[in-house]
Amino acid sequence: DAKTTQPPSMDCAEGRAANLPCNHSTISGNEYVYWYRQIHSQGPQYIIHGLKNNETNEMASLIITEDRKSSTLILPHATLRDTAVYYCIVRSSNTGNQFYFGTGTSLTVIP
Amino acid sequence: NAGVTQTPKFRILKIGQSMTLQCTQDMNHNYMYWYRQDPGMGLKLIYYSVGAGITDKGEVPNGYNVSRSTTEDFPLRLELAAPSQTSVYFCATTGWDKNIQYFGAGTRLSVL
């Protein structure tokens, strides 16, 4: 699976959009981009995933660049409860269903 | 519907002791996983299972054993606890939608 690079930490004002970047320049054609988050030592929680089209669900939006070498997770109106570590994972659906978590981005939402 | 249940929540072991971390799921999922998370780090895969009777090693299997005799249960065994095994252990499952992993609340283990 391709490697991802994320900034170690970010801040965001409450109520504003949080934009979390992820670089995955070695991504291959059959690899998806996944985002999970982990709130204060709880188990990670699935947010969203996509292949090449932009995706939106009730939690967030995922924007993938046309060359697929990077992506951005957008939390449209960040709340204090969105303070967490966010993991960007690139994975092929054929690789035994294993997810490889890096160190992620620690997002702090500021009141 | 409890999802993924891990017991115990906390445990302190002495060096050389053994213990079993329990993981039970009621979602009828085939795939189950054990991860460990050291302070300030991401999760590392220890073992996983694609169904009852089938297990395989992940990134960091040394010092651990697993079994999968039923769909519901996937216990993780530490035979000779070492300080390097101090960590938080998470169990997870995936079902027919292999894109989503569901995690338990974790077991916090200290080996002293």
Side-chain angles (χ1 to χ4, degrees):
Chain A
D1 294 330
K3 179 180 171 60
T4 62
T5 303
Q6 300 177 251
S9 63
M10 294 181 64
D11 294 336
C12 177
E14 187 178 16
R16 303 297 293 269
N19 298 283
L20 291 90
C22 180
N23 286 321
H24 32 78
S25 57
T26 61
I27 193 170
S28 60
N30 65 345
E31 289 181 317
Y32 287 72
V33 180
Y34 296 80
W35 284 85
Y36 279 72
R37 74 180 182 184
Q38 186 175 26
I39 297 173
H40 188 55
S41 300
Q42 297 177 19
Q45 175 191 25
Y46 166 84
I47 301 173
I48 199 167
H49 76 282
L51 183 62
K52 53 185 177 182
N53 297 323
N54 298 337
E55 303 286 346
T56 296
N57 63 20
E58 65 278 3
M59 290 183 69
S61 295
L62 173 60
I63 309 297
I64 303 174
T65 58
E66 190 168 345
D67 63 7
R68 304 210 318 124
K69 293 185 177 181
S70 66
S71 60
T72 301
L73 178 75
I74 301 172
L75 309 178
H77 304 286
T79 71
L80 299 179
R81 287 175 293 182
D82 292 322
T83 292
V85 176
Y86 288 77
Y87 297 99
C88 171
I89 302 165
V90 170
R91 168 182 165 270
S92 166
S93 60
N94 298 323
T95 53
N97 303 305
Q98 301 174 46
F99 285 82
Y100 293 98
F101 292 79
T103 53
T105 295
S106 178
L107 175 69
T108 301
V109 180
I110 302 168
Chain B
N1 188 346
V4 181
T5 303
Q6 292 184 238
T7 57
K9 289 184 171 28
F10 303 95
R11 184 70 185 269
I12 298 174
L13 283 182
K14 294 182 179 178
I15 295 172
Q17 286 186 319
S18 61
M19 77 164 293
T20 300
L21 284 67
Q22 302 290 346
C23 176
T24 299
Q25 54 105 354
D26 62 1
M27 295 181 284
N28 200 32
H29 285 174
N30 286 331
Y31 298 88
M32 298 188 74
Y33 313 80
W34 274 106
Y35 293 90
R36 61 175 286 174
Q37 184 174 34
D38 298 333
M41 304 297 288
L43 283 71
K44 292 193 179 296
L45 183 66
I46 306 172
Y47 270 96
Y48 66 100
S49 169
V50 301
I54 306 169
T55 63
D56 209 344
K57 297 178 180 179
E59 297 175 87
V60 290
N62 291 343
Y64 307 95
N65 281 300
V66 293
S67 59
R68 184 93 182 274
S69 57
T70 67
T71 299
E72 294 78 18
D73 299 306
F74 190 39
L76 178 71
R77 178 83 176 163
L78 283 71
E79 292 293 350
L80 291 170
S84 61
Q85 294 177 305
T86 293
S87 192
V88 181
Y89 292 84
F90 290 102
C91 179
T93 75
T94 60
W96 66 269
D97 184 349
K98 300 172 186 175
N99 295 305
I100 302 176
Q101 285 200 331
Y102 299 88
F103 284 80
T107 294
R108 284 150 184 80
L109 175 67
S110 294
V111 182
L112 305 175

